[in-house]
Amino acid sequence: MDLYEHQGKELFAKAGIPVAAGRVAFTVAEARAAAEALGGRVVVKSQVLTGGRGKAGGVKVVSGPDEAAAAAEAILGLDINGHITRRLWIEEAVAIDREYYASVTFDRAAKMPLMMLTTMGGMDVEAVARDHPDRLARLHVDPALGFRGFHAVQLMSAAGIPVDERKAVGAMLAQIYGVFVAEDAMLVEVNPLVILDDGTLLAADSKMTIDDNALFRHADSSAMRDVAAADPQEQAAHEADLAYVKLDGDVGILGNGAGLVMSTVDVVAQAGGRPANFLDVGGGASAEKIATALGIVLSDEKVKSVLFNIFGGITRCDEVAKGLLGALETTAVRAPIVVRLDGTNDVEGRELLERAARPEITVEKTMLEAAATAVRLAREAR
Ligand code: GDP
Ligand code: MN
C-alpha cells in the first residue's frame, strides 16, 4: 500500500525524523485556512500516489493565504500521471540550501534491504543512476545486523557528504532505516532530504510503501488507505481477503492456487488472448467464496469472458462445481464462463455442471482448450 506524502511524514514524525508542520486540505477554503494557521510562506503540495509532482506543477511555494488559495485552486483537480489531485498538503515553507536523496528499498536479488544516498537530490533518482552512477552511493544492510554506524560512514563517504554534516545525516539515515523496519515498509524514500540555510536537516518529501501482508499488525497505517483512490475491484478483493491483481486484457481469470493462476495467465496469452486479472480463490469451494470472486471479476467492465480453472487436490472438484452452481444462483452473470476441472473428483464435477446445463457455462477438459474457448468467447463479445 502506497502512502500519501503527508501520511508518510506522520510516520516520520513519530520516528523522530524532522518534518515541517503542515495540514491536509481538500478544498480551497481549507487550504486558505491552513495557510492562515501556519502563517507566512507555505508550500501547497498535491497529494497523489505518484511522483513527479514538482515537474507537473503540483508543488507551489506561496507567501500567504490569498496566494495559497489561488495555488489550491490551480492544483485541486490537476492530473499528475493519470492521478487526479483531490487532497493537498499545506506545509510551512523552509529556506532550502541543498537537496539530497536517501532511500531504503528491497533488493530481492540480494535478499537484503538496499540503502541509497546521493547529494544530487530533488531530481529523478533514475536520472542520477543513469547519468552520474558514481554519485549514487548504494549499500546493502544485513537485516540480522541492522543499520550500524559503519553503514552510515560508508554511505556518506561514498556519496561525498561534507564532513561537518555527517553526524546529522548519519542520524537521519539510522532513523530512515528504523522507519523502514518498524512500519514493515517496502520503500522509504526521502527526496529531497534538505539542508536548510541554518544547517539543520529536514525530510521535505516522503514516499512510503507498506507491505500489504504486514498491514494486519499496523492498525494506524492500515487506516490510512484511501478507499476512494483505490481500484474498486482491488478494494473489494482486499476486503474479501482474496489475492487479486488487475491486468489490462478482457479474459477474467479465477483459479485455486497462485501457481495455477499464474500459469492460467500464461496459457491465455499463449492462446492469443489478454488476461483481465489474476484472482486466486485459494482453497475450499464454498458457494459464497466463489460468488464473491466471480462478482469481483465480473464487476470489471472490461471482462468479456471468464476462465475458471480448478485443480482439485484437497479441494474436491465436485464441491467446486456445487459451489459454482450455487454462486450462479446469487450472482448476475453477464459474461460466459469457461470451466476446467481437473484432479480429485473431476469426473463427478464435470457431470454436475453438464447436468445443470447452465447456458452461461462451457465445460472444457484441458487448460489449453479452456483458454482457447475463453479467448474466442471474449473476442466474439467485442
Ligand atoms: P515530487 O516532485 O513529487 O517529488 O515533490 P517534492 O515534494 O519532492 O517537491 C518538489 C520540489 O519542490 C523539491 O525538490 C523542492 O525543490 C521544492 N519544495 C518542496 N517543498 C519545499 C519547501 O518547503 N520549500 C521550498 N522552498 N521548496 C520546496
Ligand atoms: Mn520528491
Short mmCIF file of all heavy atoms in Angstrom, two decimals, residues 20-80:
data_model
loop_
_atom_site.label_atom_id
_atom_site.label_comp_id
_atom_site.label_asym_id
_atom_site.label_seq_id
_atom_site.Cartn_x
_atom_site.Cartn_y
_atom_site.Cartn_z
N ALA A 20 8.43 19.46 8.36
CA ALA A 20 7.81 20.76 8.60
C ALA A 20 6.37 20.56 9.06
O ALA A 20 5.75 19.56 8.73
CB ALA A 20 7.85 21.60 7.33
N ALA A 21 5.86 21.54 9.81
CA ALA A 21 4.46 21.48 10.25
C ALA A 21 3.56 21.70 9.05
O ALA A 21 3.90 22.45 8.13
CB ALA A 21 4.21 22.57 11.29
N GLY A 22 2.42 21.03 9.04
CA GLY A 22 1.51 21.21 7.90
C GLY A 22 0.12 20.71 8.20
O GLY A 22 -0.15 20.19 9.29
N ARG A 23 -0.76 20.90 7.23
CA ARG A 23 -2.16 20.48 7.37
C ARG A 23 -2.67 19.94 6.04
O ARG A 23 -2.26 20.42 4.99
CB ARG A 23 -3.05 21.67 7.73
CG ARG A 23 -2.81 22.17 9.13
CD ARG A 23 -3.91 23.14 9.46
NE ARG A 23 -3.76 23.60 10.84
CZ ARG A 23 -4.71 24.25 11.48
NH1 ARG A 23 -5.85 24.54 10.87
NH2 ARG A 23 -4.52 24.63 12.72
N VAL A 24 -3.62 19.01 6.13
CA VAL A 24 -4.27 18.49 4.93
C VAL A 24 -5.42 19.41 4.57
O VAL A 24 -6.09 19.95 5.45
CB VAL A 24 -4.80 17.06 5.19
CG1 VAL A 24 -5.54 16.52 3.98
CG2 VAL A 24 -3.64 16.13 5.54
N ALA A 25 -5.65 19.61 3.26
CA ALA A 25 -6.80 20.41 2.80
C ALA A 25 -7.44 19.72 1.61
O ALA A 25 -6.74 19.22 0.73
CB ALA A 25 -6.34 21.81 2.42
N PHE A 26 -8.77 19.69 1.62
CA PHE A 26 -9.49 19.07 0.50
C PHE A 26 -10.16 20.14 -0.38
O PHE A 26 -10.64 19.83 -1.46
CB PHE A 26 -10.54 18.09 1.02
CG PHE A 26 -9.94 16.85 1.64
CD1 PHE A 26 -9.67 16.80 3.00
CD2 PHE A 26 -9.64 15.76 0.86
CE1 PHE A 26 -9.11 15.67 3.57
CE2 PHE A 26 -9.07 14.62 1.41
CZ PHE A 26 -8.80 14.57 2.78
N THR A 27 -10.23 21.37 0.14
CA THR A 27 -10.90 22.45 -0.61
C THR A 27 -10.01 23.69 -0.59
O THR A 27 -9.06 23.80 0.21
CB THR A 27 -12.24 22.82 0.04
OG1 THR A 27 -11.96 23.33 1.36
CG2 THR A 27 -13.17 21.62 0.15
N VAL A 28 -10.38 24.66 -1.44
CA VAL A 28 -9.66 25.94 -1.49
C VAL A 28 -9.77 26.65 -0.13
O VAL A 28 -8.78 27.18 0.39
CB VAL A 28 -10.21 26.81 -2.63
CG1 VAL A 28 -9.60 28.21 -2.58
CG2 VAL A 28 -9.95 26.15 -3.98
N ALA A 29 -10.98 26.61 0.45
CA ALA A 29 -11.19 27.27 1.74
C ALA A 29 -10.33 26.65 2.83
O ALA A 29 -9.74 27.35 3.65
CB ALA A 29 -12.67 27.20 2.13
N GLU A 30 -10.24 25.33 2.82
CA GLU A 30 -9.39 24.65 3.82
C GLU A 30 -7.91 24.99 3.60
O GLU A 30 -7.15 25.11 4.55
CB GLU A 30 -9.59 23.13 3.73
CG GLU A 30 -10.90 22.65 4.34
CD GLU A 30 -11.18 21.17 4.10
OE1 GLU A 30 -10.27 20.45 3.61
OE2 GLU A 30 -12.31 20.74 4.39
N ALA A 31 -7.54 25.15 2.33
CA ALA A 31 -6.14 25.50 2.03
C ALA A 31 -5.83 26.89 2.56
O ALA A 31 -4.77 27.13 3.15
CB ALA A 31 -5.90 25.42 0.52
N ARG A 32 -6.78 27.80 2.36
CA ARG A 32 -6.59 29.18 2.86
C ARG A 32 -6.46 29.17 4.38
O ARG A 32 -5.55 29.78 4.95
CB ARG A 32 -7.76 30.06 2.43
CG ARG A 32 -7.68 31.49 2.95
CD ARG A 32 -8.98 32.23 2.70
NE ARG A 32 -9.19 32.48 1.27
CZ ARG A 32 -8.66 33.50 0.61
NH1 ARG A 32 -7.88 34.37 1.24
NH2 ARG A 32 -8.90 33.67 -0.67
N ALA A 33 -7.38 28.44 5.03
CA ALA A 33 -7.37 28.37 6.50
C ALA A 33 -6.07 27.77 7.00
O ALA A 33 -5.50 28.22 8.00
CB ALA A 33 -8.57 27.57 6.99
N ALA A 34 -5.58 26.76 6.30
CA ALA A 34 -4.32 26.12 6.71
C ALA A 34 -3.18 27.11 6.60
O ALA A 34 -2.34 27.21 7.50
CB ALA A 34 -4.05 24.89 5.84
N ALA A 35 -3.15 27.87 5.51
CA ALA A 35 -2.07 28.86 5.32
C ALA A 35 -2.14 29.92 6.42
O ALA A 35 -1.12 30.37 6.93
CB ALA A 35 -2.18 29.49 3.94
N GLU A 36 -3.37 30.33 6.78
CA GLU A 36 -3.53 31.32 7.86
C GLU A 36 -2.98 30.76 9.17
O GLU A 36 -2.26 31.43 9.90
CB GLU A 36 -5.01 31.68 8.03
CG GLU A 36 -5.41 32.88 7.19
CD GLU A 36 -6.92 32.98 6.96
OE1 GLU A 36 -7.69 32.27 7.65
OE2 GLU A 36 -7.31 33.76 6.07
N ALA A 37 -3.34 29.51 9.46
CA ALA A 37 -2.92 28.90 10.73
C ALA A 37 -1.40 28.72 10.77
O ALA A 37 -0.78 28.87 11.82
CB ALA A 37 -3.61 27.55 10.91
N LEU A 38 -0.80 28.38 9.62
CA LEU A 38 0.64 28.13 9.61
C LEU A 38 1.42 29.44 9.56
O LEU A 38 2.56 29.51 10.01
CB LEU A 38 1.01 27.24 8.41
CG LEU A 38 0.46 25.81 8.49
CD1 LEU A 38 0.53 25.10 7.14
CD2 LEU A 38 1.20 24.99 9.54
N GLY A 39 0.79 30.48 9.00
CA GLY A 39 1.39 31.81 8.99
C GLY A 39 2.50 31.96 7.96
O GLY A 39 3.33 31.07 7.81
N GLY A 40 2.49 33.06 7.23
CA GLY A 40 3.60 33.39 6.33
C GLY A 40 3.69 32.50 5.12
O GLY A 40 2.68 32.07 4.57
N ARG A 41 4.93 32.20 4.71
CA ARG A 41 5.16 31.42 3.50
C ARG A 41 4.82 29.95 3.71
O ARG A 41 5.22 29.35 4.71
CB ARG A 41 6.62 31.55 3.08
CG ARG A 41 6.93 32.79 2.23
CD ARG A 41 8.41 33.12 2.24
NE ARG A 41 9.25 31.96 1.92
CZ ARG A 41 9.52 31.55 0.68
NH1 ARG A 41 9.04 32.19 -0.36
NH2 ARG A 41 10.30 30.51 0.47
N VAL A 42 4.08 29.37 2.78
CA VAL A 42 3.77 27.94 2.84
C VAL A 42 3.99 27.31 1.47
O VAL A 42 4.09 28.01 0.47
CB VAL A 42 2.31 27.67 3.29
CG1 VAL A 42 2.07 28.09 4.73
CG2 VAL A 42 1.31 28.32 2.36
N VAL A 43 4.06 25.98 1.46
CA VAL A 43 4.13 25.23 0.21
C VAL A 43 2.80 24.50 0.06
O VAL A 43 2.34 23.85 0.99
CB VAL A 43 5.28 24.20 0.22
CG1 VAL A 43 5.54 23.68 -1.19
CG2 VAL A 43 6.54 24.83 0.78
N VAL A 44 2.18 24.64 -1.10
CA VAL A 44 0.93 23.95 -1.40
C VAL A 44 1.31 22.75 -2.27
O VAL A 44 1.87 22.92 -3.36
CB VAL A 44 -0.06 24.88 -2.13
CG1 VAL A 44 -1.36 24.14 -2.45
CG2 VAL A 44 -0.34 26.11 -1.28
N LYS A 45 1.03 21.55 -1.77
CA LYS A 45 1.50 20.34 -2.46
C LYS A 45 0.37 19.38 -2.78
O LYS A 45 -0.39 18.99 -1.90
CB LYS A 45 2.55 19.63 -1.60
CG LYS A 45 3.75 20.52 -1.21
CD LYS A 45 4.79 19.77 -0.40
CE LYS A 45 5.71 19.00 -1.32
NZ LYS A 45 6.82 18.37 -0.55
N SER A 46 0.28 19.00 -4.03
CA SER A 46 -0.67 17.98 -4.47
C SER A 46 -0.36 16.68 -3.73
O SER A 46 0.81 16.30 -3.61
CB SER A 46 -0.52 17.77 -5.97
OG SER A 46 -1.08 16.53 -6.34
N GLN A 47 -1.40 15.99 -3.24
CA GLN A 47 -1.20 14.68 -2.63
C GLN A 47 -1.78 13.62 -3.57
O GLN A 47 -3.00 13.45 -3.65
CB GLN A 47 -1.87 14.62 -1.26
CG GLN A 47 -1.28 15.61 -0.26
CD GLN A 47 0.17 15.30 0.09
OE1 GLN A 47 0.49 14.34 0.77
NE2 GLN A 47 1.10 16.13 -0.42
N VAL A 48 -0.91 12.99 -4.32
CA VAL A 48 -1.30 11.91 -5.23
C VAL A 48 -0.32 10.77 -5.04
O VAL A 48 0.82 11.00 -4.61
CB VAL A 48 -1.29 12.36 -6.72
CG1 VAL A 48 -2.55 13.15 -7.07
CG2 VAL A 48 -0.04 13.16 -7.06
N LEU A 49 -0.77 9.54 -5.35
CA LEU A 49 0.08 8.38 -5.13
C LEU A 49 0.98 8.14 -6.34
O LEU A 49 0.97 7.08 -6.95
CB LEU A 49 -0.78 7.15 -4.80
CG LEU A 49 -1.62 7.31 -3.53
CD1 LEU A 49 -2.55 6.13 -3.32
CD2 LEU A 49 -0.74 7.51 -2.29
N THR A 50 1.74 9.19 -6.71
CA THR A 50 2.70 9.09 -7.79
C THR A 50 3.75 10.17 -7.59
O THR A 50 3.54 11.10 -6.80
CB THR A 50 2.01 9.23 -9.17
OG1 THR A 50 2.98 9.05 -10.20
CG2 THR A 50 1.38 10.59 -9.34
N GLY A 51 4.86 10.07 -8.29
CA GLY A 51 5.92 11.06 -8.13
C GLY A 51 5.86 12.12 -9.23
O GLY A 51 4.90 12.20 -9.99
N GLY A 52 6.88 12.96 -9.26
CA GLY A 52 6.98 13.97 -10.32
C GLY A 52 5.97 15.09 -10.20
O GLY A 52 5.60 15.73 -11.17
N ARG A 53 5.53 15.35 -8.95
CA ARG A 53 4.52 16.40 -8.76
C ARG A 53 5.10 17.78 -9.04
O ARG A 53 4.43 18.65 -9.59
CB ARG A 53 3.97 16.35 -7.33
CG ARG A 53 3.20 15.08 -7.04
CD ARG A 53 3.03 14.90 -5.56
NE ARG A 53 4.33 14.88 -4.90
CZ ARG A 53 4.53 15.13 -3.62
NH1 ARG A 53 3.51 15.41 -2.84
NH2 ARG A 53 5.74 15.08 -3.12
N GLY A 54 6.37 17.96 -8.62
CA GLY A 54 7.03 19.26 -8.83
C GLY A 54 7.01 19.64 -10.29
O GLY A 54 6.55 20.74 -10.65
N LYS A 55 7.47 18.72 -11.15
CA LYS A 55 7.54 18.98 -12.59
C LYS A 55 6.17 19.24 -13.19
O LYS A 55 6.03 20.01 -14.13
CB LYS A 55 8.18 17.79 -13.31
CG LYS A 55 9.67 17.98 -13.56
CD LYS A 55 10.21 16.80 -14.37
CE LYS A 55 11.33 16.11 -13.62
NZ LYS A 55 11.53 14.72 -14.00
N ALA A 56 5.13 18.58 -12.65
CA ALA A 56 3.78 18.69 -13.22
C ALA A 56 3.03 19.93 -12.71
O ALA A 56 1.87 20.13 -13.03
CB ALA A 56 2.99 17.43 -12.90
N GLY A 57 3.69 20.75 -11.89
CA GLY A 57 3.02 21.94 -11.37
C GLY A 57 2.21 21.68 -10.12
O GLY A 57 1.34 22.48 -9.76
N GLY A 58 2.49 20.56 -9.44
CA GLY A 58 1.72 20.19 -8.26
C GLY A 58 2.34 20.66 -6.96
O GLY A 58 1.84 20.31 -5.88
N VAL A 59 3.42 21.44 -7.01
CA VAL A 59 4.06 21.96 -5.80
C VAL A 59 4.31 23.45 -5.99
O VAL A 59 5.00 23.85 -6.93
CB VAL A 59 5.43 21.25 -5.53
CG1 VAL A 59 6.11 21.84 -4.30
CG2 VAL A 59 5.24 19.75 -5.37
N LYS A 60 3.68 24.29 -5.13
CA LYS A 60 3.86 25.74 -5.29
C LYS A 60 4.21 26.39 -3.95
O LYS A 60 3.51 26.19 -2.96
CB LYS A 60 2.58 26.37 -5.84
CG LYS A 60 2.32 26.05 -7.31
CD LYS A 60 1.20 26.95 -7.86
CE LYS A 60 1.23 27.06 -9.37
NZ LYS A 60 0.81 25.83 -10.06
N VAL A 61 5.30 27.17 -3.96
CA VAL A 61 5.67 27.92 -2.76
C VAL A 61 4.98 29.28 -2.85
O VAL A 61 5.09 29.97 -3.87
CB VAL A 61 7.20 28.12 -2.68
CG1 VAL A 61 7.58 28.86 -1.40
CG2 VAL A 61 7.91 26.78 -2.75
N VAL A 62 4.22 29.65 -1.80
CA VAL A 62 3.46 30.90 -1.83
C VAL A 62 3.71 31.71 -0.56
O VAL A 62 4.23 31.19 0.43
CB VAL A 62 1.94 30.63 -1.98
CG1 VAL A 62 1.64 29.88 -3.27
CG2 VAL A 62 1.41 29.85 -0.78
N SER A 63 3.31 33.01 -0.61
CA SER A 63 3.70 33.87 0.50
C SER A 63 2.56 34.24 1.45
O SER A 63 2.76 35.05 2.34
CB SER A 63 4.37 35.13 -0.05
OG SER A 63 3.46 35.78 -0.89
N GLY A 64 1.37 33.68 1.26
CA GLY A 64 0.31 33.99 2.21
C GLY A 64 -1.00 33.30 1.83
O GLY A 64 -1.07 32.59 0.83
N PRO A 65 -2.04 33.51 2.65
CA PRO A 65 -3.33 32.83 2.46
C PRO A 65 -3.96 33.04 1.07
O PRO A 65 -4.49 32.10 0.49
CB PRO A 65 -4.22 33.42 3.56
CG PRO A 65 -3.26 33.86 4.60
CD PRO A 65 -2.03 34.30 3.90
N ASP A 66 -3.90 34.30 0.54
CA ASP A 66 -4.51 34.55 -0.77
C ASP A 66 -3.84 33.73 -1.85
O ASP A 66 -4.49 33.10 -2.68
CB ASP A 66 -4.43 36.04 -1.13
CG ASP A 66 -5.40 36.88 -0.29
OD1 ASP A 66 -6.34 36.26 0.28
OD2 ASP A 66 -5.21 38.11 -0.21
N GLU A 67 -2.50 33.78 -1.84
CA GLU A 67 -1.75 33.02 -2.84
C GLU A 67 -1.94 31.52 -2.63
O GLU A 67 -1.97 30.76 -3.60
CB GLU A 67 -0.25 33.35 -2.75
CG GLU A 67 0.12 34.63 -3.48
CD GLU A 67 1.63 34.84 -3.46
OE1 GLU A 67 2.38 33.84 -3.49
OE2 GLU A 67 2.05 36.01 -3.40
N ALA A 68 -2.06 31.10 -1.38
CA ALA A 68 -2.28 29.67 -1.09
C ALA A 68 -3.62 29.24 -1.68
O ALA A 68 -3.73 28.16 -2.26
CB ALA A 68 -2.24 29.42 0.41
N ALA A 69 -4.62 30.10 -1.56
CA ALA A 69 -5.95 29.79 -2.11
C ALA A 69 -5.87 29.68 -3.63
O ALA A 69 -6.43 28.75 -4.23
CB ALA A 69 -6.96 30.86 -1.70
N ALA A 70 -5.14 30.60 -4.25
CA ALA A 70 -5.00 30.58 -5.71
C ALA A 70 -4.26 29.31 -6.16
O ALA A 70 -4.64 28.66 -7.14
CB ALA A 70 -4.27 31.83 -6.19
N ALA A 71 -3.21 28.96 -5.40
CA ALA A 71 -2.44 27.75 -5.75
C ALA A 71 -3.32 26.51 -5.58
O ALA A 71 -3.29 25.59 -6.40
CB ALA A 71 -1.19 27.65 -4.87
N ALA A 72 -4.12 26.50 -4.50
CA ALA A 72 -5.02 25.35 -4.25
C ALA A 72 -6.01 25.21 -5.39
O ALA A 72 -6.28 24.11 -5.88
CB ALA A 72 -5.75 25.54 -2.93
N GLU A 73 -6.54 26.34 -5.83
CA GLU A 73 -7.49 26.37 -6.95
C GLU A 73 -6.86 25.72 -8.20
O GLU A 73 -7.49 24.93 -8.91
CB GLU A 73 -7.81 27.85 -7.25
CG GLU A 73 -8.79 28.08 -8.38
CD GLU A 73 -10.22 28.15 -7.87
OE1 GLU A 73 -10.48 28.97 -6.97
OE2 GLU A 73 -11.05 27.37 -8.36
N ALA A 74 -5.58 26.05 -8.42
CA ALA A 74 -4.89 25.53 -9.61
C ALA A 74 -4.54 24.05 -9.47
O ALA A 74 -4.56 23.31 -10.45
CB ALA A 74 -3.62 26.35 -9.86
N ILE A 75 -4.22 23.63 -8.26
CA ILE A 75 -3.71 22.26 -8.09
C ILE A 75 -4.83 21.23 -7.86
O ILE A 75 -4.74 20.10 -8.31
CB ILE A 75 -2.66 22.20 -6.94
CG1 ILE A 75 -1.45 23.08 -7.30
CG2 ILE A 75 -2.19 20.78 -6.70
CD1 ILE A 75 -0.42 23.22 -6.19
N LEU A 76 -5.92 21.64 -7.19
CA LEU A 76 -7.03 20.69 -6.99
C LEU A 76 -7.60 20.32 -8.36
O LEU A 76 -7.88 21.20 -9.17
CB LEU A 76 -8.12 21.31 -6.11
CG LEU A 76 -7.85 21.30 -4.60
CD1 LEU A 76 -8.87 22.17 -3.87
CD2 LEU A 76 -7.85 19.88 -4.03
N GLY A 77 -7.73 19.05 -8.62
CA GLY A 77 -8.22 18.60 -9.93
C GLY A 77 -7.12 18.37 -10.94
O GLY A 77 -7.35 17.79 -12.00
N LEU A 78 -5.89 18.81 -10.61
CA LEU A 78 -4.76 18.64 -11.52
C LEU A 78 -4.45 17.16 -11.73
O LEU A 78 -4.39 16.39 -10.77
CB LEU A 78 -3.52 19.36 -10.95
CG LEU A 78 -2.27 19.40 -11.83
CD1 LEU A 78 -2.49 20.29 -13.05
CD2 LEU A 78 -1.07 19.92 -11.02
N ASP A 79 -4.27 16.79 -12.99
CA ASP A 79 -3.95 15.41 -13.35
C ASP A 79 -2.43 15.24 -13.36
O ASP A 79 -1.74 15.89 -14.13
CB ASP A 79 -4.55 15.12 -14.73
CG ASP A 79 -4.28 13.68 -15.20
OD1 ASP A 79 -3.28 13.08 -14.76
OD2 ASP A 79 -5.07 13.18 -16.01
N ILE A 80 -1.93 14.38 -12.48
CA ILE A 80 -0.49 14.11 -12.44
C ILE A 80 -0.28 12.64 -12.78
O ILE A 80 -0.64 11.77 -11.98
CB ILE A 80 0.12 14.49 -11.08
CG1 ILE A 80 -0.13 15.99 -10.82
CG2 ILE A 80 1.61 14.16 -11.04
CD1 ILE A 80 0.36 16.49 -9.49
#
